Amino acid sequence: MRETLLRARRWRTGWVVAFAALSLGLMASGAIPAPYIERREAAQQVWKAQSITSYHIVVRAFFAGRTCAQEIEVRGTRQYVVRDTCNSSWLSSLTVDRLFELSARLEAGPECFPSKQDCFCHRVRVGAIEYDPNHGVPITISWRREMQPNWQHPAYWKRVWNTRELPNCATPARTLRLEVVSLTPLDNYETPRIPHASSATGGS
């Protein structure tokens, strides 16, 4: 009986060690550097070097199975909403600064699910950003947020051990695509198209 228990303990310890080694191997193989930060920072420098403080921008958005558009005039720290068919506080005003902010979302690491303690799945964003070579503006932002098995986390293997089955991390992916239709610099002395203005800050 004692020998059976010892064998069971050795077997369990062996599996734990194997899971840990596999996790470390997956972490090493998955650590592929993505140049998102470098590309965004370089593009922002191109945009800032032009010192464009007043402009008219039109952005088309595709999300949640719908298509909409925003047309905005920016004059310094003020934003004038000319047209907005999105009606989404999440998108906020799609100014150049907001587009850079949204493009930075791809730089964020995976988010644990359902919690940091029980992290057998995680949310990840995969996609691509296209920057205008002349102005540096993100002219296309495209990403997909999906749930994936978190093989690198001990919680994944703990759940496998306890349930004797692979965790189900399948959920519908959420997609977003933003396209800059036009961007036109404006002279500061021009009169805004509409009188209503908003602050330069927006929701996330």
Side-chain angles (χ1 to χ4, degrees), residues 27 109-115 118-125 145-153 156 167-171:
M27 290 175 68
E111 302 169 350
C112 281
F113 183 88
S115 69
D118 199 6
C119 193
F120 52 85
C121 300
H122 58 193
R123 295 188 183 98
V124 297
R125 285 188 180 91
R145 194 179 76 172
E146 59 187 31
M147 204 82 72
Q148 294 180 355
N150 191 7
W151 297 296
Q152 297 93 336
H153 201 284
Y156 177 88
N168 182 13
C169 298
T171 58

Side-chain angles (χ1 to χ4, degrees), residues 140-184:
T140 303
I141 299 174
S142 180
W143 81 49
R144 181 178 70 258
R145 194 179 76 172
E146 59 187 31
M147 204 82 72
Q148 294 180 355
N150 191 7
W151 297 296
Q152 297 93 336
H153 201 284
Y156 177 88
W157 302 107
K158 180 180 179 181
R159 187 172 179 84
V160 171
W161 176 264
N162 291 334
T163 64
R164 299 298 193 272
E165 61 183 14
L166 298 178
N168 182 13
C169 298
T171 58
R174 298 181 61 180
T175 60
L176 170 71
R177 182 175 176 85
L178 302 175
E179 298 176 353
V180 175
V181 178
S182 65
L183 175 65
T184 307

Side-chain angles (χ1 to χ4, degrees), residues 47 50-58 72-76 96 132 134-135 137 180 182-190 193:
W47 170 250
Q50 299 172 86
S51 300
I52 299 175
T53 59
S54 298
Y55 58 88
H56 176 269
I57 188 171
V58 178
I72 299 170
E73 286 190 10
V74 175
R75 296 180 182 278
V96 172
D132 182 86
N134 298 318
H135 296 294
V137 178
V180 175
S182 65
L183 175 65
T184 307
L186 301 173
D187 293 328
N188 291 325
Y189 61 81
E190 292 182 17
R193 298 190 183 188

Side-chain angles (χ1 to χ4, degrees), residues 45-88:
Q45 290 302 317
V46 172
W47 170 250
K48 290 179 180 179
Q50 299 172 86
S51 300
I52 299 175
T53 59
S54 298
Y55 58 88
H56 176 269
I57 188 171
V58 178
V59 181
R60 186 164 47 229
F62 307 85
F63 72 102
R66 55 181 294 219
T67 303
C68 61
Q70 285 190 9
E71 183 177 357
I72 299 170
E73 286 190 10
V74 175
R75 296 180 182 278
T77 60
R78 306 296 290 177
Q79 302 170 5
Y80 300 84
V81 180
V82 180
R83 178 171 61 100
D84 183 5
T85 62
C86 295
N87 297 317
S88 170

Side-chain angles (χ1 to χ4, degrees), residues 11 13 23 26 56 69 89 103-104 114 129 131 155-156 161 165 177 193 200:
W11 182 83
T13 302
S23 298
L26 287 170
H56 176 269
S89 59
S103 68
I129 313 293
Y131 297 95
Y156 177 88
W161 176 264
E165 61 183 14
R177 182 175 176 85
R193 298 190 183 188

